[in-house]
Amino acid sequence: MAGRNGRTVRDLRRANRTAVLQRLYFDGPLSRFELGPATGLSSGSVSNVVADLVADGLVEEAGSVDSDGGRPRTLLRVAPASGHMIGVDVGETRVRVELFDLTLTELARAERPLAPQRHDVDVIVGHVRDGIAEVLATAGLPPERLLGAGIGVPGIVEHTADRGAVVHGQTIGWDAVPLEALLRAGSPLPDTVPCLIDNGAKTLGQAEMWFGAGRGARNAVVVLFGSGVGASLVTPEAEQGRAVEWGHLTVRVRGRRCRCGALGCLEAYAGAESLLARWREEGGRVPEDTDEETALTAMLAAAYPADGAAADPVALAVLEETAEYLGAGLSDLINLFQPERILIGGWAGLQLGARFLPAVRRHAVSYALRHPARKVTVDLGRLGPDAVTVGAAILPLADFFARGGRRPEPAPEYPVPAWRTALEERAPH
């Protein structure tokens, strides 16, 4: 029966379970007495909800604390083994798959390297499927025990009613790829396990906002600096983050050609791929037959030698120019969105790290308007290179919380395009 506001008793119970689960997850262990003011629920409601969650195996006792003159109060926490999630990072240089328990402790991982500029759809789908099967086998976990798999991808993700998640990844040659349907075809996951797909910069932002350097901020921009560059905007109106194609802002009219095909994009100057290309074009000794991460390490060592040797002037000049482009790009974010914090993550951003950050901050402030620039801090993310997979795993975790800790209904069936039916035949059995 629905109340005046349209909410049913079932809706109310789900909301109460969600409130208790989230408080225990982020602030626990807590006692039943502490859960009342933390959730706004009455003591009776807290007792009923906790009893349900304990019966479902989602909440367990975690010791006790003394109370003021009374009996010790039992502490409660979310049971780590009561749920598992998979996070997948479809990156520029590799596909990384990680299995987590409910508290996001890593239990297993698998990685598949990618050849430069090779993101063939069937290859990516195969890597994701194989990686999921591998981590489940490593942990000895039946796939039906999963709460879901979250996948972070480059590009714009469109959620459709008839085809599920569709990816528009112009920089990697993906044009309206029905990735959810392709992964479902021959998947090692049962249809009761959701497969949630979103932009990789957004999943990075979600991870930093929940567990990293973004905690406590109401307005933040989290930047993904890898082979290319992207960003996620978090505001009170978009608490789960909103991906913005920051890398394709025009920073130079009739400038370098970006891999998206346009001229003068920020990514054509600030992404690691373009950074290494500019070093090569200027006569730098870029290591051959190696991946981007190794080549960027060599460039950094050449520009800032640790043994007192002379710096490579070309590498140093390109890095310093890149810092200015990044700073100028951040100034656009500062002027447009006026965030409290800007956080820089991604493998390239973390690799350049402390060397890069002071110059990037200086340029960002010099190009931005004074008032919003005075209010923003620019720092590195805290979660390291696994932040995208952690954020991807948060997608099914957030969905689980929203359902009050109830497992999902079977996923809808999406038609697989005829030109991709061969994938099903090649899927592992």
Side-chain angles (χ1 to χ4, degrees):
M1 181 175 179
R4 290 183 180 180
N5 58 3
R7 299 181 74 190
T8 64
V9 172
R10 183 178 180 181
D11 292 334
L12 183 60
R13 287 175 178 166
R14 181 173 60 243
N16 290 348
R17 283 170 62 99
T18 294
V20 171
L21 269 177
Q22 287 185 324
R23 288 284 59 79
L24 287 176
Y25 191 84
F26 290 107
D27 302 325
L30 297 171
S31 67
R32 289 171 177 81
F33 178 78
E34 292 170 310
L35 279 169
T39 60
L41 300 177
S42 68
S43 59
S45 294
V46 167
S47 294
N48 290 336
V49 171
V50 166
D52 284 347
L53 294 174
V54 169
D56 291 344
L58 294 174
V59 168
E60 63 186 15
E61 293 186 359
S64 62
V65 291
D66 293 334
S67 62
D68 297 332
R71 292 184 301 172
R73 293 189 179 122
T74 301
L75 294 175
L76 303 166
R77 69 176 183 182
V78 172
S82 61
H84 300 82
M85 300 84 64
I86 282 177
V88 180
D89 175 11
V90 178
E92 304 280 7
T93 60
R94 63 172 55 84
V95 174
R96 177 181 288 136
V97 181
E98 295 184 58
L99 173 67
F100 302 93
D101 68 14
L102 200 64
T103 59
L104 287 172
T105 299
E106 181 191 311
L107 304 178
R109 75 161 56 201
E111 292 193 358
R112 301 288 189 275
L114 294 174
Q117 300 177 346
R118 291 300 301 272
H119 282 74
D120 297 338
V121 175
D122 54 349
V123 171
I124 298 298
V125 170
H127 284 343
V128 173
R129 284 177 177 161
D130 293 347
I132 290 174
E134 181 178 331
V135 297
L136 289 173
T138 298
L141 185 75
E144 59 270 15
R145 292 275 303 278
L146 288 172
L147 300 180
I151 302 169
V153 297
I156 298 169
V157 180
E158 178 186 13
H159 297 280
T160 68
D162 58 340
R163 294 192 296 167
V166 175
V167 182
H168 305 270
Q170 191 166 324
T171 60
I172 59 173
W174 286 17
D175 183 13
V177 171
L179 186 60
E180 185 176 352
L182 294 173
L183 288 171
R184 280 288 173 199
S187 169
L189 302 179
D191 61 5
T192 53
V193 175
C195 181
L196 306 172
I197 301 170
D198 219 322
N199 175 269
K202 182 177 174 182
T203 68
L204 169 68
Q206 185 114 349
E208 288 290 349
M209 295 303 292
W210 276 37
F211 302 109
R215 288 202 69 176
R218 287 171 52 81
N219 298 275
V221 175
V222 184
V223 169
L224 175 60
F225 176 23
S227 295
V229 290
S232 173
L233 171 67
V234 179
T235 66
E237 296 75 30
E239 292 182 357
Q240 304 303 317
R242 177 165 61 89
V244 291
E245 291 295 328
W246 175 58
H248 302 288
L249 291 177
T250 302
V251 296
R252 190 166 180 174
V253 176
R254 293 188 295 275
R256 290 176 59 87
R257 187 166 298 279
C258 179
R259 55 187 182 163
C260 76
L263 296 175
C265 292
L266 174 63
E267 190 167 292
Y269 295 91
E273 181 180 308
S274 62
L275 194 157
L276 292 167
R278 285 160 51 222
W279 186 30
R280 182 181 293 108
E281 291 164 9
E282 295 295 328
R285 297 180 180 179
V286 182
E288 301 295 336
D289 301 322
T290 189
D291 59 45
E292 281 184 2
E293 295 185 33
T294 304
L296 189 61
T297 300
M299 183 179 188
L300 191 61
Y304 305 103
D307 55 5
D312 178 340
V314 175
L316 187 59
V318 171
L319 284 168
E320 288 178 346
E321 185 183 40
T322 300
E324 184 167 6
Y325 275 113
L326 274 174
L330 293 183
S331 75
D332 290 333
L333 297 175
I334 293 170
N335 291 342
L336 285 170
F337 304 118
Q338 301 180 31
E340 300 168 42
R341 301 178 198 174
I342 292 178
L343 305 173
I344 299 175
W347 65 265
L350 297 173
Q351 191 169 348
L352 293 171
R355 286 281 188 185
F356 226 45
L357 198 57
V360 171
R361 280 196 192 111
R362 185 174 66 253
H363 291 303
V365 170
S366 69
Y367 281 104
L369 293 170
R370 286 192 300 273
H371 180 68
R374 279 195 294 264
K375 295 185 174 184
V376 71
T377 60
V378 181
D379 291 297
L380 294 178
R382 294 179 187 165
L383 298 182
D386 293 343
V388 173
T389 49
V390 171
I394 288 174
L395 295 175
L397 179 60
D399 181 61
F400 181 65
F401 283 156
R403 286 182 281 99
R406 304 291 189 191
R407 290 187 175 266
E409 300 296 324
E413 292 187 9
Y414 298 115
V416 178
W419 54 276
R420 286 298 183 191
T421 52
L423 286 172
E424 205 165 343
E425 300 172 6
R426 295 170 55 182
H429 298 287

